[in-house]
Amino acid sequence: MRTRRAYRIPIEWDAIRATDLSNIRDDARQAHGLASYDPALVNTASCTSAITFIDGDRGVLRYRGYPIEQLPGRVRFLDVAYLLIHGELPGGIEARDWAAAVSSGADLPGAITSMVAGFPAEAHPMGVLLAAWSALGAYREASKAVDDPTVRAAEVPRFLGSIAALVGLVVRHRTGRPLASPAASKADYSTRFYRELFPAEAPPDPVLADALDTLLIIQADHEQNCSTNAVRAVGSSRVDPYSAIAAGIAALYGPLHGGANEAVVRMLHQIGTVDRVPPYIESVKRSERKLMGFGHRVYKSYDPRAKIIKATMERVFDVTGTSPLLDVALAIEAIALEDAYFIDRKLYPNVDFYSGLVYEAMGLPIDTYTTIFAAARMAGWVAHWLEGIQDPEQKITRPRQVYVGRDARDLGR
Ligand code: SDX
């Protein structure tokens, strides 16, 4: 507009290439061509991806084309992980080989167990997981050969075996249980993971093991969320995948992201009773606090995963007994879905609003919930890391900035 010159920029995939803007240089003062300014990348596509599709207005979530509603109960998490990573569900032999390769990652170096044991019992499990996962990479030097397809094929399944074993170890340390991993069993991944978390003698109730499998499936991937974006950005430097994924664990730890499941249950305990919900909601509307577990950057309608978790929660409560906090959660949802503040801002329950109640019913300590989310999201992080490092268009991530600092000045004598 400032020079009244017209520019023709092609539109591809409902987007323009930001680099096409850099050819527009129509003011002598410009240090570089035009750039797009998009703090937090709210409206910027950072890559092409074939893994997950979300339509936030319609509440649609698909993994490699399959609607999320069709997967829990019909496909187990480990096969969903294969689907996200390889693009198709595994056949019989593929599934058998995949499960064997994944379980080979469960053997953790003794030094990692000692490292976890060295943390204070009350250390936050996400901080312990972040440290232990990064340290594990130092024992998996072969994974540095990120451009070798043979190495990638050997390393990738191990990430899923390792994260389940590591989360189990971290949770057992947090709950004062023996650190030794429970005896290997022929059970499927989610049942074995359940045993890692709760190494009781008796096998877990199938309803609870199935509920964990469902939670792992629906939290496995979510396209370019904060933690996956972090994995892709760090992975673009061609660092080893353990370090790239450590960035994802760190991002997921945040209360605005995966840490919200813990924050929701703390909020529900703080509110305590249904009669204290209205004043709490009013304090949210006065911007004194956020309603944790509500709102989403992409979903401007009910998060389809929240619906699935709510149904799963009811099956879990049939086994464990209902949570006293359920009425508080339901009251929050009922009020918020009718209140103009939330309706106008399109704030609905997200994946984290009910998941914490399921984890609490299973007997997990409140600060361990996000470690389960990390175990699930490992599938998505790995899928996106692989897609990113094999994408010929993905150079090292290095965004521009708008400089608003001081002009040149002289230090003087
Ligand atoms: C996850 O991206 C993903 O896909 C993430 C995830 C995944 O699977 O990877 O889905 C997992 O992280 C789910 C989100 C979990 N986080 C929470 O539940 C924390 C509470 N939610 C908010 O912090 C917030 O809704 C975010 C962070 C989730 C989204 O924030 P945005 O998109 O940056 O929205 P915004 O902050 O610009 O809010 C827009 C308006 C603002 O009001 P106004 O300034 O316009 O008056 O909505 C308000 C906000 O104040 N708002 C909220 C609110 N969320 C947004 N007000 C009260 N409570 C909230 N939770």
Side-chain angles (χ1 to χ4, degrees), residues 2-3 5 7 21-34 400:
R2 61 189 179 191
T3 62
R5 277 190 216 137
Y7 296 89
L21 296 173
S22 63
N23 301 324
I24 300 172
R25 204 174 176 137
D26 55 6
D27 183 313
R29 291 165 300 171
Q30 280 178 254
H32 48 71
L34 279 191
R400 306 298 301 264

Side-chain angles (χ1 to χ4, degrees), residues 222 256-257 291 293-294 296-297 305 341 345 350 377:
H222 215 237
L256 294 189
H257 191 11
L291 189 59
F294 264 69
H296 201 277
R297 173 65 53 76
R305 302 169 296 175
Y341 174 92
R345 292 168 179 80
N350 60 48
R377 190 51 55 90

Side-chain angles (χ1 to χ4, degrees), residues 5-321:
R5 277 190 216 137
Y7 296 89
R8 185 177 295 279
I9 295 182
I11 293 175
E12 189 183 12
W13 305 310
D14 289 333
I16 62 166
R17 284 181 176 271
T19 46
D20 287 344
L21 296 173
S22 63
N23 301 324
I24 300 172
R25 204 174 176 137
D26 55 6
D27 183 313
R29 291 165 300 171
Q30 280 178 254
H32 48 71
L34 279 191
S36 60
Y37 173 56
D38 186 12
L41 305 180
V42 170
N43 189 41
T44 291
S46 59
C47 63
T48 58
S49 180
I51 299 168
T52 291
F53 171 78
I54 299 173
D55 178 334
D57 291 339
R58 297 180 180 82
V60 172
L61 170 58
R62 299 189 203 121
Y63 289 169
R64 298 286 187 178
Y66 293 111
I68 192 68
E69 295 80 4
Q70 293 185 13
L71 295 169
R74 296 177 61 186
V75 184
R76 298 298 281 182
F77 165 73
L78 199 58
D79 290 349
V80 170
Y82 186 97
L83 169 69
L84 288 168
I85 292 167
H86 295 287
E88 296 297 340
L89 287 166
I93 294 175
E94 289 161 327
R96 186 202 61 198
D97 295 348
W98 172 244
V102 164
S103 58
S104 73
D107 296 331
L108 301 175
I112 297 297
T113 303
S114 308
M115 177 186 189
V116 169
F119 280 92
E122 65 279 4
H124 196 291
M126 277 300 282
V128 178
L129 179 64
L130 177 56
W133 177 267
S134 298
L136 183 59
Y139 291 86
R140 304 270 172 92
E141 285 286 312
S143 68
K144 284 184 183 297
V146 299
D147 294 315
D148 182 334
T150 310
V151 169
R152 291 200 301 258
E155 285 299 322
V156 157
R158 299 175 77 189
F159 297 144
L160 290 157
S162 299
I163 193 68
L166 201 49
V167 168
L169 176 64
V170 168
V171 170
R172 291 196 304 274
H173 176 62
R174 182 73 184 88
T175 50
R177 291 184 169 97
L179 293 189
S181 187
S185 78
K186 294 213 177 301
D188 86 305
Y189 180 90
S190 300
T191 306
R192 286 210 312 277
F193 183 33
Y194 197 98
R195 295 292 301 273
E196 292 276 355
L197 300 169
F198 306 105
E201 286 318 304
D205 184 306
V207 169
L208 301 184
D210 288 348
L212 182 60
D213 193 76
T214 294
L215 282 164
L216 293 174
I217 289 172
I218 63 165
Q219 297 178 108
D221 191 49
H222 215 237
E223 54 132 285
Q224 303 309 316
N225 58 86
C226 180
S227 57
T228 299
N229 178 62
V231 170
R232 278 181 169 261
V234 172
S236 74
S237 73
R238 318 309 279 189
V239 74
D240 71 276
Y242 287 85
S243 303
I245 289 164
I249 295 173
L252 192 74
Y253 190 178
L256 294 189
H257 191 11
N261 55 23
E262 171 184 344
V264 167
V265 175
R266 291 191 191 283
M267 172 183 75
L268 297 176
H269 278 290
Q270 182 192 346
I271 295 170
T273 52
V274 171
D275 62 309
R276 292 170 60 184
V277 167
Y280 192 92
I281 293 278
E282 289 309 309
S283 73
V284 169
K285 291 161 63 177
R286 291 192 299 270
S287 300
E288 292 168 14
R289 51 172 59 96
K290 287 195 180 298
L291 189 59
M292 301 311 278
F294 264 69
H296 201 277
R297 173 65 53 76
V298 177
Y299 288 124
K300 299 310 174 190
S301 59
Y302 210 103
D303 186 330
R305 302 169 296 175
K307 287 180 194 160
I308 296 170
I309 292 179
K310 212 172 164 181
T312 304
M313 178 181 68
E314 281 150 19
R315 288 196 296 275
V316 166
F317 287 168
D318 288 345
V319 172
T320 64

